[in-house]
Amino acid sequence: MHHVSPPSGLSHIWLLAKYELSKRFTNKSGMVALIAFMLIWAILLLYPIKSASEFIMGPNFRGFTEALFGPDSLQHLFEWPVAEFAVFWLAALYLFPMFSIFIAADQFSSDKQRGSLRFLTLRVSRSSLFFGRFAGQMLIQLSLIILTLLATIAMVLTRDMSLLVPSLTTSLLVMVNLFIVVLPYTAAMALLSLHANSARQASIFAIILWALVSIIIGLINFKFPQLSGLNMILPGSQISSMINTQGFGSLAYTPIPLLQTVVILGLGNLLMKRSAL
């Protein structure tokens, strides 16, 4: 008799990730969240980002940024080959992590309340379930990043068709950077959703945690300036430094969120194995 081997852990992770992606774009709550996301970015594209080519490279805007942030503090911002993407970069670095907190808030909380996590763990390992849900949320956010970048490219081409190649190369770098930036946020929400009873509670936990850790780190740095490296504990600590980057230079900060993600996922997987579902 031909023996069929059971699916591996990686196969389970991939299947769970694909299911999370399809569920997000087919169920009612997922569609509402997607529509809200699209409306917010439509407003951003139609107003500040669309107008970027008219003011970001102008002397008035450059003088304003130098007065606000200091001389040469944003010099690399003016080196972007496509002005619209410079403004997109400024907005996306802060908005996508914020969206991530809410989009990825319900990785486990609802299933835990319904008791369905116990049912799922009868068919897949707890680690496969944890990493599968996380991977699914990252696929969702990658899809949203790609959608916004394609919309930005389309808007750029309506202004100047010759910007197609620089738009494509720039958008590829932006996509990689944004994907890496949201990794620790999504991992943190996976961890918090194991404790929370709902997506809303997980989001509240995240906001409180970020505020408390920021205050504690600020107080420690005030008393002990030599411990400024503690800032790297908090996801997003590198974002303010990434603003003034361009091209491959923006990838210099990727080790920070990658290391944060590994640590948070390790803690989350440990909690998943030991918690009562």
Side-chain angles (χ1 to χ4, degrees):
M1 182 180 292
H2 180 68
H3 177 70
V4 179
S5 59
S8 64
L10 288 176
S11 298
H12 283 148
I13 291 172
W14 176 239
L15 289 172
L16 287 164
K18 289 195 297 182
Y19 175 72
E20 285 294 303
L21 179 63
S22 62
K23 183 176 70 174
R24 171 63 66 175
F25 293 109
T26 54
N27 65 18
K28 184 178 179 181
S29 61
M31 290 301 296
V32 170
L34 178 61
I35 291 170
F37 177 87
M38 293 174 63
L39 287 174
I40 292 171
W41 274 103
I43 294 171
L44 289 172
L45 289 172
L46 289 173
Y47 293 99
I49 296 178
K50 185 178 181 180
S51 304
S53 59
E54 301 175 3
F55 67 85
I56 194 171
M57 297 304 175
N60 293 334
F61 180 77
R62 187 161 189 167
F64 171 76
T65 57
E66 289 181 353
L68 186 62
F69 299 104
D72 299 326
S73 58
L74 297 178
Q75 73 270 22
H76 292 297
L77 187 66
F78 301 98
E79 298 173 0
W80 284 68
V82 183
E84 286 85 348
F85 276 102
V87 179
F88 179 93
W89 178 248
L90 286 173
L93 276 177
Y94 288 100
L95 288 179
F96 271 102
M98 183 182 68
F99 285 137
S100 180
I101 291 175
F102 298 101
I103 291 172
D106 193 17
Q107 295 183 54
F108 301 104
S109 54
S110 295
D111 285 332
K112 187 178 70 173
Q113 284 298 102
R114 292 192 297 262
S116 54
L117 279 183
R118 297 177 186 175
F119 173 78
L120 290 170
T121 54
L122 294 175
R123 287 155 176 79
V124 297
S125 68
R126 293 192 177 201
S127 293
S128 295
L129 180 58
F130 180 79
F131 289 113
R133 288 283 176 88
F134 168 77
Q137 293 298 321
M138 289 309 305
L139 286 177
I140 292 168
Q141 293 179 80
L142 178 61
S143 301
L144 296 176
I145 291 170
I146 292 173
L147 283 173
T148 55
L149 287 171
L150 289 175
T152 306
I153 292 173
M155 185 181 65
V156 170
L157 296 182
T158 60
R159 177 172 67 87
D160 189 348
M161 287 293 295
S162 65
L163 294 174
L164 175 61
V165 174
S167 294
L168 291 174
T169 55
T170 301
S171 62
L172 181 61
L173 280 171
V174 171
M175 180 190 71
V176 172
N177 272 288
L178 291 179
F179 182 82
I180 294 173
V181 164
V182 300
L183 278 171
Y185 288 90
T186 309
M189 296 313 298
L191 177 61
L192 291 173
S193 65
L194 286 171
H195 282 287
N197 295 323
S198 65
R200 181 179 180 182
Q201 190 178 69
S203 300
I204 293 173
F205 284 168
I207 294 170
I208 294 173
L209 181 63
W210 256 270
L212 286 176
V213 174
S214 298
I215 292 171
I216 292 170
I217 291 176
L219 291 174
I220 293 175
N221 287 340
F222 180 76
K223 292 288 185 180
F224 308 100
Q226 64 272 22
L227 298 177
S228 59
L230 285 175
N231 291 327
M232 290 192 297
I233 295 175
L234 197 65
S237 58
Q238 82 287 357
I239 288 178
S240 59
S241 301
M242 291 180 68
I243 290 176
N244 189 33
T245 58
Q246 190 272 327
F248 287 99
S250 58
L251 297 174
Y253 296 94
T254 56
I256 297 174
L258 289 176
L259 180 59
Q260 291 170 342
T261 304
V262 171
V263 173
I264 297 170
L265 287 178
L267 292 173
N269 186 40
L270 183 64
L271 178 64
M272 184 73 168
K273 289 180 177 179
R274 296 188 175 183
S275 61
L277 304 179

